[in-house]
């Protein structure tokens, strides 16, 4: 089954890290990504640019509205994701727990809806 590991972390906290510490964390991320790829569980994954680079799109009354950023009133922002194949939720959670951001942020583990399977 496919799972999304959505990485939420505080952008301001990340920006305030000393360069050596952020490099160490990125090296850890690359090593974990490599391990997930070698295990055959990796489908896709990317880091996202900060929310200041985001554009939100809404259609209201048939008109397209765009605004800068997500303007979420939260401490944590979506910073990246992994799309993985796991035999079950426990395996997906184990992968999420290895990600460095789990130590100071949140990793949301969510199963991917399989429309082909749900259509029966």
């Amino acid at each position: 089954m496919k799972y999304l590991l959505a990485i939420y972390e505080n952008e301001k906290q990340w920006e305030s890290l000393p360069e050596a510490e952020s490099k160490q964390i990125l090296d850890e991320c690359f090593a974990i990504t490599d391990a997930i790829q070698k295990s055959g569980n990796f489908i896709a994954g990317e880091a996202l640019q900060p929310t200041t680079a985001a554009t939100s799109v809404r259609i209201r009354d048939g008109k397209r509205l765009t605004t800068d950023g997500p303007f979420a009133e939260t401490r944590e922002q979506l910073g990246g994701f992994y799309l993985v194949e796991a035999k079950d939720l426990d395996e997906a959670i184990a992968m999420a727990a290895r990600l460095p951001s789990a130590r100071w942020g949140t990793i949301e583990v969510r199963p991917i809806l399989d429309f082909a399977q749900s259509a029966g």
Side-chain angles (χ1 to χ4, degrees), residues 15-72:
E15 292 167 359
S16 68
L17 291 176
E19 186 176 332
E21 189 174 346
S22 62
K23 182 186 178 319
Q24 180 180 359
I25 292 167
L26 286 175
D27 288 346
E28 189 177 348
C29 285
F30 295 140
I32 291 168
T33 300
D34 188 50
I36 293 173
Q37 287 172 329
K38 287 179 179 171
S39 72
N41 296 100
F42 185 86
I43 298 172
E46 294 290 344
L48 301 177
Q49 292 195 18
T51 54
T52 55
T55 302
S56 297
V57 178
R58 295 173 181 85
I59 303 294
R60 299 291 184 268
D61 299 323
K63 295 181 181 174
R64 184 181 71 190
L65 305 171
T66 59
T67 54
D68 294 336
F71 293 109

Tab-separated table of all heavy atoms in Angstrom, residues 15-72:
chain	number	residue	atom	x	y	z
A	15	GLU	N	15.412	27.942	9.604
A	15	GLU	CA	16.231	29.046	9.129
A	15	GLU	C	17.223	29.530	10.189
A	15	GLU	O	18.252	30.106	9.853
A	15	GLU	CB	15.333	30.210	8.687
A	15	GLU	CG	14.513	29.896	7.443
A	15	GLU	CD	13.412	30.911	7.180
A	15	GLU	OE1	13.240	31.871	7.964
A	15	GLU	OE2	12.702	30.726	6.179
A	16	SER	N	16.900	29.291	11.456
A	16	SER	CA	17.767	29.781	12.524
A	16	SER	C	18.883	28.799	12.901
A	16	SER	O	19.744	29.126	13.722
A	16	SER	CB	16.930	30.112	13.771
A	16	SER	OG	16.415	28.916	14.333
A	17	LEU	N	18.878	27.615	12.308
A	17	LEU	CA	19.906	26.625	12.644
A	17	LEU	C	21.274	27.068	12.128
A	17	LEU	O	21.374	27.629	11.032
A	17	LEU	CB	19.569	25.270	12.019
A	17	LEU	CG	18.374	24.515	12.577
A	17	LEU	CD1	18.144	23.231	11.766
A	17	LEU	CD2	18.585	24.181	14.042
A	18	PRO	N	22.311	26.803	12.888
A	18	PRO	CA	23.666	27.046	12.375
A	18	PRO	C	23.898	26.190	11.133
A	18	PRO	O	23.348	25.088	11.019
A	18	PRO	CB	24.573	26.592	13.520
A	18	PRO	CG	23.706	26.559	14.729
A	18	PRO	CD	22.319	26.295	14.254
A	19	GLU	N	24.716	26.704	10.205
A	19	GLU	CA	24.933	26.021	8.933
A	19	GLU	C	25.416	24.587	9.135
A	19	GLU	O	24.969	23.674	8.427
A	19	GLU	CB	25.936	26.804	8.090
A	19	GLU	CG	26.101	26.243	6.691
A	19	GLU	CD	27.027	27.098	5.835
A	19	GLU	OE1	27.127	28.301	6.074
A	19	GLU	OE2	27.642	26.530	4.918
A	20	ALA	N	26.304	24.371	10.084
A	20	ALA	CA	26.837	23.024	10.312
A	20	ALA	C	25.734	22.064	10.741
A	20	ALA	O	25.703	20.900	10.330
A	20	ALA	CB	27.942	23.072	11.363
A	21	GLU	N	24.800	22.547	11.568
A	21	GLU	CA	23.717	21.685	12.037
A	21	GLU	C	22.733	21.376	10.904
A	21	GLU	O	22.295	20.235	10.751
A	21	GLU	CB	22.979	22.337	13.207
A	21	GLU	CG	21.998	21.410	13.880
A	21	GLU	CD	21.378	22.011	15.132
A	21	GLU	OE1	21.883	23.034	15.637
A	21	GLU	OE2	20.384	21.451	15.606
A	22	SER	N	22.403	22.384	10.100
A	22	SER	CA	21.486	22.131	8.984
A	22	SER	C	22.135	21.183	7.967
A	22	SER	O	21.466	20.322	7.405
A	22	SER	CB	21.020	23.425	8.326
A	22	SER	OG	22.094	24.143	7.787
A	23	LYS	N	23.450	21.302	7.753
A	23	LYS	CA	24.139	20.380	6.844
A	23	LYS	C	24.096	18.962	7.396
A	23	LYS	O	23.857	18.003	6.651
A	23	LYS	CB	25.583	20.811	6.623
A	23	LYS	CG	26.302	19.905	5.643
A	23	LYS	CD	27.760	20.221	5.505
A	23	LYS	CE	28.492	19.299	4.568
A	23	LYS	NZ	28.182	17.902	4.599
A	24	GLN	N	24.288	18.820	8.697
A	24	GLN	CA	24.253	17.492	9.310
A	24	GLN	C	22.863	16.863	9.135
A	24	GLN	O	22.739	15.677	8.822
A	24	GLN	CB	24.600	17.604	10.790
A	24	GLN	CG	24.595	16.272	11.523
A	24	GLN	CD	24.941	16.431	13.000
A	24	GLN	OE1	25.199	17.537	13.479
A	24	GLN	NE2	24.928	15.344	13.710
A	25	ILE	N	21.819	17.659	9.313
A	25	ILE	CA	20.445	17.157	9.166
A	25	ILE	C	20.180	16.763	7.713
A	25	ILE	O	19.592	15.711	7.443
A	25	ILE	CB	19.438	18.212	9.662
A	25	ILE	CG1	19.568	18.367	11.179
A	25	ILE	CG2	18.010	17.837	9.254
A	25	ILE	CD1	18.858	19.581	11.733
A	26	LEU	N	20.624	17.608	6.779
A	26	LEU	CA	20.428	17.274	5.358
A	26	LEU	C	21.182	16.000	4.988
A	26	LEU	O	20.658	15.150	4.252
A	26	LEU	CB	20.872	18.434	4.470
A	26	LEU	CG	19.940	19.638	4.446
A	26	LEU	CD1	20.550	20.779	3.635
A	26	LEU	CD2	18.580	19.263	3.891
A	27	ASP	N	22.397	15.844	5.503
A	27	ASP	CA	23.154	14.613	5.233
A	27	ASP	C	22.392	13.401	5.769
A	27	ASP	O	22.351	12.348	5.135
A	27	ASP	CB	24.548	14.687	5.856
A	27	ASP	CG	25.468	15.645	5.109
A	27	ASP	OD1	25.131	16.048	3.969
A	27	ASP	OD2	26.522	16.010	5.683
A	28	GLU	N	21.773	13.556	6.953
A	28	GLU	CA	20.980	12.471	7.529
A	28	GLU	C	19.772	12.165	6.640
A	28	GLU	O	19.446	10.999	6.399
A	28	GLU	CB	20.530	12.862	8.938
A	28	GLU	CG	19.901	11.742	9.707
A	28	GLU	CD	19.524	12.151	11.129
A	28	GLU	OE1	19.945	13.239	11.603
A	28	GLU	OE2	18.796	11.392	11.759
A	29	CYS	N	19.128	13.216	6.128
A	29	CYS	CA	17.984	13.023	5.219
A	29	CYS	C	18.416	12.275	3.955
A	29	CYS	O	17.720	11.365	3.505
A	29	CYS	CB	17.376	14.361	4.826
A	29	CYS	SG	16.415	15.137	6.102
A	30	PHE	N	19.549	12.686	3.389
A	30	PHE	CA	20.028	12.017	2.171
A	30	PHE	C	20.319	10.535	2.448
A	30	PHE	O	20.022	9.672	1.616
A	30	PHE	CB	21.263	12.715	1.609
A	30	PHE	CG	21.002	14.113	1.126
A	30	PHE	CD1	21.922	15.122	1.348
A	30	PHE	CD2	19.829	14.438	0.459
A	30	PHE	CE1	21.686	16.418	0.899
A	30	PHE	CE2	19.580	15.734	0.014
A	30	PHE	CZ	20.513	16.724	0.241
A	31	ALA	N	20.891	10.243	3.606
A	31	ALA	CA	21.204	8.853	3.949
A	31	ALA	C	19.923	8.036	4.116
A	31	ALA	O	19.832	6.889	3.657
A	31	ALA	CB	22.039	8.811	5.225
A	32	ILE	N	18.915	8.617	4.761
A	32	ILE	CA	17.643	7.908	4.947
A	32	ILE	C	16.949	7.722	3.599
A	32	ILE	O	16.398	6.660	3.309
A	32	ILE	CB	16.757	8.657	5.951
A	32	ILE	CG1	17.374	8.543	7.347
A	32	ILE	CG2	15.325	8.129	5.935
A	32	ILE	CD1	16.764	9.460	8.381
A	33	THR	N	16.979	8.755	2.765
A	33	THR	CA	16.388	8.640	1.424
A	33	THR	C	17.067	7.520	0.652
A	33	THR	O	16.392	6.692	0.020
A	33	THR	CB	16.523	9.969	0.661
A	33	THR	OG1	15.843	10.989	1.393
A	33	THR	CG2	15.927	9.865	-0.737
A	34	ASP	N	18.383	7.467	0.724
A	34	ASP	CA	19.132	6.412	0.044
A	34	ASP	C	18.721	5.031	0.567
A	34	ASP	O	18.522	4.095	-0.223
A	34	ASP	CB	20.635	6.649	0.245
A	34	ASP	CG	21.478	5.709	-0.588
A	34	ASP	OD1	21.216	5.605	-1.797
A	34	ASP	OD2	22.388	5.085	-0.015
A	35	ALA	N	18.565	4.908	1.886
A	35	ALA	CA	18.179	3.623	2.478
A	35	ALA	C	16.767	3.214	2.042
A	35	ALA	O	16.524	2.043	1.739
A	35	ALA	CB	18.261	3.710	4.006
A	36	ILE	N	15.853	4.178	2.000
A	36	ILE	CA	14.481	3.868	1.576
A	36	ILE	C	14.466	3.478	0.097
A	36	ILE	O	13.761	2.554	-0.308
A	36	ILE	CB	13.532	5.056	1.861
A	36	ILE	CG1	13.381	5.268	3.374
A	36	ILE	CG2	12.148	4.817	1.237
A	36	ILE	CD1	12.605	6.518	3.750
A	37	GLN	N	15.294	4.163	-0.705
A	37	GLN	CA	15.383	3.806	-2.133
A	37	GLN	C	15.922	2.389	-2.298
A	37	GLN	O	15.387	1.599	-3.070
A	37	GLN	CB	16.259	4.811	-2.871
A	37	GLN	CG	15.592	6.152	-3.065
A	37	GLN	CD	16.524	7.202	-3.635
A	37	GLN	OE1	17.730	7.178	-3.398
A	37	GLN	NE2	15.961	8.136	-4.386
A	38	LYS	N	16.986	2.069	-1.567
A	38	LYS	CA	17.591	0.741	-1.686
A	38	LYS	C	16.668	-0.361	-1.187
A	38	LYS	O	16.747	-1.495	-1.647
A	38	LYS	CB	18.930	0.704	-0.940
A	38	LYS	CG	20.024	1.457	-1.664
A	38	LYS	CD	21.336	1.425	-0.916
A	38	LYS	CE	22.384	2.194	-1.717
A	38	LYS	NZ	23.616	2.395	-0.961
A	39	SER	N	15.774	-0.040	-0.251
A	39	SER	CA	14.846	-1.050	0.274
A	39	SER	C	13.711	-1.344	-0.699
A	39	SER	O	12.974	-2.310	-0.527
A	39	SER	CB	14.265	-0.584	1.613
A	39	SER	OG	13.327	0.481	1.406
A	40	GLY	N	13.562	-0.485	-1.711
A	40	GLY	CA	12.482	-0.662	-2.677
A	40	GLY	C	11.175	-0.009	-2.260
A	40	GLY	O	10.176	-0.134	-2.966
A	41	ASN	N	11.167	0.703	-1.139
A	41	ASN	CA	9.946	1.346	-0.646
A	41	ASN	C	9.715	2.734	-1.238
A	41	ASN	O	8.615	3.254	-1.176
A	41	ASN	CB	9.976	1.478	0.889
A	41	ASN	CG	9.996	0.143	1.575
A	41	ASN	OD1	11.046	-0.320	1.997
A	41	ASN	ND2	8.863	-0.498	1.661
A	42	PHE	N	10.751	3.334	-1.788
A	42	PHE	CA	10.663	4.720	-2.261
A	42	PHE	C	9.915	4.799	-3.583
A	42	PHE	O	10.198	4.060	-4.515
A	42	PHE	CB	12.078	5.279	-2.431
A	42	PHE	CG	12.125	6.733	-2.798
A	42	PHE	CD1	12.084	7.714	-1.823
A	42	PHE	CD2	12.218	7.126	-4.129
A	42	PHE	CE1	12.145	9.061	-2.164
A	42	PHE	CE2	12.273	8.464	-4.472
A	42	PHE	CZ	12.235	9.431	-3.489
A	43	ILE	N	8.932	5.693	-3.653
A	43	ILE	CA	8.225	5.973	-4.903
A	43	ILE	C	8.589	7.375	-5.377
A	43	ILE	O	8.939	7.577	-6.527
A	43	ILE	CB	6.700	5.837	-4.724
A	43	ILE	CG1	6.353	4.395	-4.331
A	43	ILE	CG2	5.974	6.254	-6.006
A	43	ILE	CD1	4.914	4.192	-3.935
A	44	ALA	N	8.512	8.345	-4.469
A	44	ALA	CA	8.832	9.733	-4.805
A	44	ALA	C	9.075	10.502	-3.510
A	44	ALA	O	8.688	10.065	-2.424
A	44	ALA	CB	7.698	10.389	-5.585
A	45	GLY	N	9.666	11.652	-3.643
A	45	GLY	CA	9.875	12.520	-2.491
A	45	GLY	C	10.540	13.797	-2.929
A	45	GLY	O	11.313	13.795	-3.886
A	46	GLU	N	10.199	14.862	-2.279
A	46	GLU	CA	10.784	16.165	-2.591
A	46	GLU	C	10.737	17.045	-1.352
A	46	GLU	O	9.844	16.923	-0.515
A	46	GLU	CB	9.998	16.876	-3.705
A	46	GLU	CG	10.049	16.208	-5.055
A	46	GLU	CD	11.401	16.270	-5.746
A	46	GLU	OE1	12.262	17.078	-5.341
A	46	GLU	OE2	11.594	15.495	-6.699
A	47	ALA	N	11.686	17.949	-1.278
A	47	ALA	CA	11.633	19.026	-0.285
A	47	ALA	C	10.947	20.206	-0.961
A	47	ALA	O	11.074	20.393	-2.171
A	47	ALA	CB	13.041	19.408	0.148
A	48	LEU	N	10.200	20.959	-0.212
A	48	LEU	CA	9.492	22.112	-0.759
A	48	LEU	C	10.206	23.401	-0.392
A	48	LEU	O	10.840	23.495	0.660
A	48	LEU	CB	8.063	22.156	-0.224
A	48	LEU	CG	7.205	20.928	-0.532
A	48	LEU	CD1	5.837	21.073	0.134
A	48	LEU	CD2	7.055	20.737	-2.024
A	49	GLN	N	10.072	24.410	-1.249
A	49	GLN	CA	10.572	25.732	-0.908
A	49	GLN	C	9.688	26.305	0.205
A	49	GLN	O	8.578	25.832	0.437
A	49	GLN	CB	10.554	26.630	-2.140
A	49	GLN	CG	11.564	26.181	-3.176
A	49	GLN	CD	11.825	27.241	-4.228
A	49	GLN	OE1	11.521	28.415	-4.038
A	49	GLN	NE2	12.400	26.823	-5.326
A	50	PRO	N	10.125	27.342	0.896
A	50	PRO	CA	9.336	27.905	2.007
A	50	PRO	C	7.949	28.379	1.559
A	50	PRO	O	7.708	28.629	0.375
A	50	PRO	CB	10.180	29.092	2.475
A	50	PRO	CG	11.541	28.845	1.951
A	50	PRO	CD	11.402	28.025	0.708
A	51	THR	N	7.064	28.503	2.515
A	51	THR	CA	5.684	28.916	2.212
A	51	THR	C	5.638	30.294	1.555
A	51	THR	O	4.664	30.605	0.873
A	51	THR	CB	4.828	28.945	3.483
A	51	THR	OG1	5.467	29.758	4.467
A	51	THR	CG2	4.609	27.539	4.016
A	52	THR	N	6.686	31.115	1.713
A	52	THR	CA	6.699	32.421	1.051
A	52	THR	C	6.751	32.277	-0.468
A	52	THR	O	6.431	33.222	-1.192
A	52	THR	CB	7.902	33.263	1.527
A	52	THR	OG1	9.108	32.507	1.320
A	52	THR	CG2	7.758	33.640	2.986
A	53	ALA	N	7.142	31.096	-0.962
A	53	ALA	CA	7.196	30.849	-2.403
A	53	ALA	C	5.892	30.248	-2.917
A	53	ALA	O	5.746	30.036	-4.113
A	53	ALA	CB	8.354	29.915	-2.733
A	54	ALA	N	4.949	29.981	-2.017
A	54	ALA	CA	3.710	29.295	-2.403
A	54	ALA	C	2.659	30.271	-2.916
A	54	ALA	O	2.654	31.449	-2.568
A	54	ALA	CB	3.145	28.540	-1.207
A	55	THR	N	1.786	29.755	-3.761
A	55	THR	CA	0.609	30.479	-4.235
A	55	THR	C	-0.602	29.593	-3.988
A	55	THR	O	-0.593	28.415	-4.328
A	55	THR	CB	0.721	30.788	-5.741
A	55	THR	OG1	1.904	31.550	-5.969
A	55	THR	CG2	-0.491	31.550	-6.241
A	56	SER	N	-1.632	30.158	-3.385
A	56	SER	CA	-2.868	29.412	-3.124
A	56	SER	C	-3.900	29.783	-4.184
A	56	SER	O	-4.045	30.958	-4.534
A	56	SER	CB	-3.416	29.742	-1.731
A	56	SER	OG	-2.497	29.333	-0.749
A	57	VAL	N	-4.602	28.788	-4.684
A	57	VAL	CA	-5.601	28.984	-5.741
A	57	VAL	C	-6.959	28.529	-5.224
A	57	VAL	O	-7.084	27.454	-4.644
A	57	VAL	CB	-5.220	28.177	-7.002
A	57	VAL	CG1	-6.281	28.348	-8.090
A	57	VAL	CG2	-3.846	28.581	-7.511
A	58	ARG	N	-7.961	29.365	-5.443
A	58	ARG	CA	-9.338	29.029	-5.063
A	58	ARG	C	-10.263	29.469	-6.188
A	58	ARG	O	-10.006	30.490	-6.841
A	58	ARG	CB	-9.740	29.761	-3.782
A	58	ARG	CG	-8.969	29.358	-2.567
A	58	ARG	CD	-9.315	30.260	-1.365
A	58	ARG	NE	-8.561	29.880	-0.190
A	58	ARG	CZ	-7.323	30.290	0.090
A	58	ARG	NH1	-6.702	31.122	-0.728
A	58	ARG	NH2	-6.696	29.883	1.178
A	59	ILE	N	-11.322	28.743	-6.403
A	59	ILE	CA	-12.361	29.152	-7.334
A	59	ILE	C	-13.590	29.486	-6.493
A	59	ILE	O	-14.095	28.639	-5.741
A	59	ILE	CB	-12.692	28.037	-8.347
A	59	ILE	CG1	-11.454	27.615	-9.122
A	59	ILE	CG2	-13.832	28.474	-9.269
A	59	ILE	CD1	-10.884	28.675	-10.044
A	60	ARG	N	-14.023	30.728	-6.581
A	60	ARG	CA	-15.211	31.168	-5.844
A	60	ARG	C	-16.133	31.884	-6.816
A	60	ARG	O	-15.702	32.789	-7.540
A	60	ARG	CB	-14.829	32.119	-4.693
A	60	ARG	CG	-13.919	31.522	-3.656
A	60	ARG	CD	-14.622	30.436	-2.825
A	60	ARG	NE	-13.798	29.919	-1.758
A	60	ARG	CZ	-12.988	28.850	-1.864
A	60	ARG	NH1	-12.902	28.200	-3.008
A	60	ARG	NH2	-12.266	28.439	-0.839
A	61	ASP	N	-17.384	31.457	-6.823
A	61	ASP	CA	-18.367	32.038	-7.743
A	61	ASP	C	-17.856	32.022	-9.183
A	61	ASP	O	-18.059	32.989	-9.936
A	61	ASP	CB	-18.728	33.471	-7.314
A	61	ASP	CG	-19.353	33.511	-5.928
A	61	ASP	OD1	-20.131	32.569	-5.613
A	61	ASP	OD2	-19.056	34.450	-5.175
A	62	GLY	N	-17.172	30.954	-9.543
A	62	GLY	CA	-16.678	30.799	-10.909
A	62	GLY	C	-15.450	31.620	-11.242
A	62	GLY	O	-14.990	31.606	-12.380
A	63	LYS	N	-14.900	32.344	-10.280
A	63	LYS	CA	-13.720	33.167	-10.539
A	63	LYS	C	-12.508	32.585	-9.822
A	63	LYS	O	-12.603	32.123	-8.692
A	63	LYS	CB	-13.950	34.607	-10.053
A	63	LYS	CG	-15.028	35.321	-10.815
A	63	LYS	CD	-15.195	36.724	-10.302
A	63	LYS	CE	-16.313	37.417	-11.078
A	63	LYS	NZ	-16.622	38.722	-10.546
A	64	ARG	N	-11.374	32.635	-10.527
A	64	ARG	CA	-10.127	32.153	-9.950
A	64	ARG	C	-9.505	33.242	-9.085
A	64	ARG	O	-9.303	34.373	-9.526
A	64	ARG	CB	-9.158	31.752	-11.059
A	64	ARG	CG	-7.874	31.142	-10.503
A	64	ARG	CD	-6.920	30.779	-11.591
A	64	ARG	NE	-6.384	32.020	-12.158
A	64	ARG	CZ	-5.656	32.086	-13.261
A	64	ARG	NH1	-5.380	31.003	-13.939
A	64	ARG	NH2	-5.208	33.238	-13.699
A	65	LEU	N	-9.191	32.880	-7.857
A	65	LEU	CA	-8.519	33.793	-6.932
A	65	LEU	C	-7.172	33.191	-6.576
A	65	LEU	O	-7.085	32.007	-6.256
A	65	LEU	CB	-9.343	33.979	-5.655
A	65	LEU	CG	-10.783	34.440	-5.836
A	65	LEU	CD1	-11.522	34.355	-4.509
A	65	LEU	CD2	-10.804	35.866	-6.365
A	66	THR	N	-6.139	34.001	-6.643
A	66	THR	CA	-4.828	33.523	-6.224
A	66	THR	C	-4.296	34.461	-5.148
A	66	THR	O	-4.492	35.677	-5.210
A	66	THR	CB	-3.825	33.468	-7.400
A	66	THR	OG1	-3.691	34.777	-7.953
A	66	THR	CG2	-4.295	32.500	-8.468
A	67	THR	N	-3.666	33.872	-4.158
A	67	THR	CA	-3.045	34.650	-3.088
A	67	THR	C	-1.658	34.077	-2.825
A	67	THR	O	-1.405	32.896	-3.062
A	67	THR	CB	-3.870	34.603	-1.785
A	67	THR	OG1	-4.100	33.241	-1.437
A	67	THR	CG2	-5.194	35.320	-1.942
A	68	ASP	N	-0.795	34.924	-2.345
A	68	ASP	CA	0.542	34.470	-1.984
A	68	ASP	C	0.492	33.662	-0.707
A	68	ASP	O	-0.194	34.038	0.247
A	68	ASP	CB	1.481	35.663	-1.781
A	68	ASP	CG	1.718	36.420	-3.079
A	68	ASP	OD1	1.552	35.809	-4.148
A	68	ASP	OD2	2.062	37.607	-3.005
A	69	GLY	N	1.220	32.557	-0.704
A	69	GLY	CA	1.383	31.768	0.505
A	69	GLY	C	0.133	31.044	0.931
A	69	GLY	O	-0.954	31.308	0.434
A	70	PRO	N	0.305	30.116	1.861
A	70	PRO	CA	-0.862	29.412	2.396
A	70	PRO	C	-1.540	30.174	3.533
A	70	PRO	O	-2.666	29.908	3.864
A	70	PRO	CB	-0.264	28.098	2.905
A	70	PRO	CG	1.145	28.451	3.256
A	70	PRO	CD	1.557	29.528	2.279
A	71	PHE	N	-0.867	31.161	4.154
A	71	PHE	CA	-1.391	31.921	5.276
A	71	PHE	C	-1.986	31.039	6.362
A	71	PHE	O	-3.040	31.326	6.915
A	71	PHE	CB	-2.423	32.962	4.832
A	71	PHE	CG	-1.806	34.039	4.001
A	71	PHE	CD1	-2.049	34.127	2.656
A	71	PHE	CD2	-0.937	34.942	4.580
A	71	PHE	CE1	-1.461	35.104	1.874
A	71	PHE	CE2	-0.326	35.932	3.821
A	71	PHE	CZ	-0.595	36.005	2.458
A	72	ALA	N	-1.339	29.951	6.610
A	72	ALA	CA	-1.802	29.050	7.659
A	72	ALA	C	-1.399	29.603	9.018
A	72	ALA	O	-0.281	30.060	9.207
A	72	ALA	CB	-1.195	27.672	7.462
